[in-house]
Amino acid sequence: MGREVWPIAYPRGEVRASDFRVVEVEVRQPRPGEVLVRNTWTSVDAALRLRLRETAPAGYFPAFPLEGPMDGIMTVGEIVESRADGFAPGDTVWHASGWRDYAVVEAEQQALGGVGTLTKLDVHAAPPQTYLGALGANGLTAYAGLLHAAALREGDVVWVSAAAGAVGSLAAQMAKIRGHRVIGSAGSDEKVRYLLDELGLDAAFNYRRGTLPELLRQAAPDGIDVYFDNVGGDHLETALGALRRSGRVAICGMISEYAAEESSHGPGNLMLAVTKGLTIRGFRGSDHTRLLPEMQRHVGAWVREGRIRCRETITDGLPQAPVALAGLLRGDNTGKTLVRIDGVTHLN
């Protein structure tokens, strides 16, 4: 038997533990081409909130069904039994069947646009959970967003919102490594200290400490060239006002809208995209899976050299996954949010 976390109601506003239940299920044996994985770490990402709706946004991954497993969550584990070529018991892998103890995974089945397809991991190069953050989908999102969606140019001044989060902290550090002036924003004074003292950003501010346009003006008096957007809403509107001519916006998330009952109106100053010749580009890391090996080479080296710091907010116990998600959406986390799956039941 194994445990799975199932949604039983779509959250209205804040995510609550009562919107989920932990279910014991039979774990079947793998068939030809499949492996059985004992999960050890599972990811918690703000974008899961988009799938905890009756209907997910058009073009996004589908909504999670009620009273069923939540397929499409990145996870790391160890193969217990294999009937697939190239995989053996004891191999550490990632896959996209998270928020459960055990998963039967088809080796060739594409998941999450390819980024979640069953993959063997080099745990000598980095701890297993790093592949759920800096060396996984979060790292790919930051890397692709900066280099491709934002098309970083020499001398660019970069603003990253939610810069203490899983993707934002990586994007900010990558931009610093490439020699840019980087400004980060976050929702607490503690996170601002983290951005300045540990990540070494050039400037940072708590967006709750004043009006956004003035806070950004103090941090970047001459304006910005790139805005890496994790928040949307008033942050995006502020960025449009601060961007210099031919500036670029790379939008990978809009956490300010994830729990909204109704879609918000767009920025009131969107005409600036015309008058300033701005480029606004939305993207997803899963659209750039071809860059994964390149990203892992570069980011893996930066992690080993200590040039990229990987702060983790860890919650212990599979049943606590919904609690970890609620905390992330409130802004309680710093860096990557993870659940360490302990108390795994033994297969009969």
Side-chain angles (χ1 to χ4, degrees), residues 95-114:
H95 60 88
S97 295
W99 285 34
R100 67 192 86 187
D101 288 329
Y102 290 92
V104 176
V105 184
E106 184 179 342
E108 300 297 327
Q109 185 175 27
Q110 190 178 86
L112 293 177

Side-chain angles (χ1 to χ4, degrees), residues 222-236:
D222 297 322
I224 60 175
D225 302 287
V226 168
Y227 172 49
F228 193 103
D229 190 13
N230 291 291
V231 176
D234 57 352
H235 284 59
L236 177 56

Side-chain angles (χ1 to χ4, degrees), residues 101-149:
D101 288 329
Y102 290 92
V104 176
V105 184
E106 184 179 342
E108 300 297 327
Q109 185 175 27
Q110 190 178 86
L112 293 177
V115 75
T117 304
L118 185 72
T119 301
K120 192 186 305 185
L121 306 177
D122 181 1
V123 294
H124 299 293
Q129 70 271 23
T130 310
Y131 290 93
L132 296 177
L135 296 183
N138 296 151
L140 180 60
T141 300
Y143 188 85
L146 287 174
L147 273 62
H148 293 268

Side-chain angles (χ1 to χ4, degrees), residues 16-315:
R16 302 180 186 279
S18 58
D19 296 321
F20 303 83
R21 67 187 175 105
V22 179
V23 181
E24 283 204 353
V25 297
E26 290 280 351
V27 180
R28 67 174 177 83
Q29 296 298 308
R31 303 184 181 114
E34 295 179 334
V35 300
L36 173 62
V37 182
R38 179 177 63 84
N39 295 333
T40 53
W41 294 89
T42 192
S43 185
V44 180
D45 300 284
L48 295 178
R49 183 64 180 84
L50 294 173
R51 304 179 64 189
L52 289 166
R53 302 177 176 182
E54 288 85 351
T55 304
Y60 196 59
F61 301 115
F64 293 122
L66 297 181
E67 299 289 351
M70 299 169 67
D71 292 319
I73 299 177
M74 290 299 295
T75 302
V76 165
E78 183 177 305
I79 293 179
V80 176
E81 184 178 347
S82 174
R83 299 190 66 189
D85 292 340
F87 297 93
D91 286 346
T92 299
V93 294
W94 80 27
H95 60 88
S97 295
W99 285 34
R100 67 192 86 187
D101 288 329
Y102 290 92
V104 176
V105 184
E106 184 179 342
E108 300 297 327
Q109 185 175 27
Q110 190 178 86
L112 293 177
V115 75
T117 304
L118 185 72
T119 301
K120 192 186 305 185
L121 306 177
D122 181 1
V123 294
H124 299 293
Q129 70 271 23
T130 310
Y131 290 93
L132 296 177
L135 296 183
N138 296 151
L140 180 60
T141 300
Y143 188 85
L146 287 174
L147 273 62
H148 293 268
L152 276 183
R153 304 168 187 164
E154 185 175 354
D156 280 343
V157 175
V158 181
W159 174 30
V160 180
S161 59
V167 173
S169 62
L170 294 172
Q173 291 179 87
M174 290 180 197
K176 278 298 297 177
I177 288 170
R178 291 177 60 88
H180 296 277
R181 174 174 170 78
V182 181
I183 298 115
S185 57
S188 74
D189 292 343
E190 181 182 2
K191 290 182 179 181
V192 168
R193 287 192 295 272
Y194 167 68
L195 297 177
L196 295 172
D197 298 342
E198 292 194 40
L199 302 192
L201 302 195
D202 298 285
F205 61 87
N206 178 351
Y207 66 83
R208 293 189 170 100
R209 288 289 187 181
T211 62
L212 264 174
E214 180 56 30
L215 290 167
L216 181 57
R217 189 177 302 114
Q218 292 173 8
D222 297 322
I224 60 175
D225 302 287
V226 168
Y227 172 49
F228 193 103
D229 190 13
N230 291 291
V231 176
D234 57 352
H235 284 59
L236 177 56
E237 185 165 302
T238 296
L240 294 176
L243 281 160
R244 299 190 281 224
R245 181 155 191 84
S246 301
R248 286 91 66 209
V249 179
I251 304 176
C252 79
M254 292 191 169
I255 194 171
S256 66
E257 300 183 16
Y258 288 176
E261 294 295 322
E262 298 181 1
S263 297
S264 63
H265 295 288
N269 58 350
L270 193 56
M271 185 62 188
L272 291 176
V274 177
T275 60
K276 294 183 178 183
L278 306 179
T279 299
I280 303 173
R281 183 174 180 181
F283 75 100
R284 294 183 355 214
S286 57
D287 295 332
H288 299 274
T289 53
R290 69 188 186 281
L291 297 176
L292 190 57
E294 174 187 323
M295 181 279 290
Q296 289 180 329
R297 283 198 308 275
H298 289 295
V299 176
W302 294 334
V303 170
R304 289 190 296 273
E305 294 164 1
R307 302 178 72 188
I308 281 187
R309 295 175 179 267
C310 302
R311 176 81 71 91
E312 297 167 347
T313 298
I314 297 172
T315 298

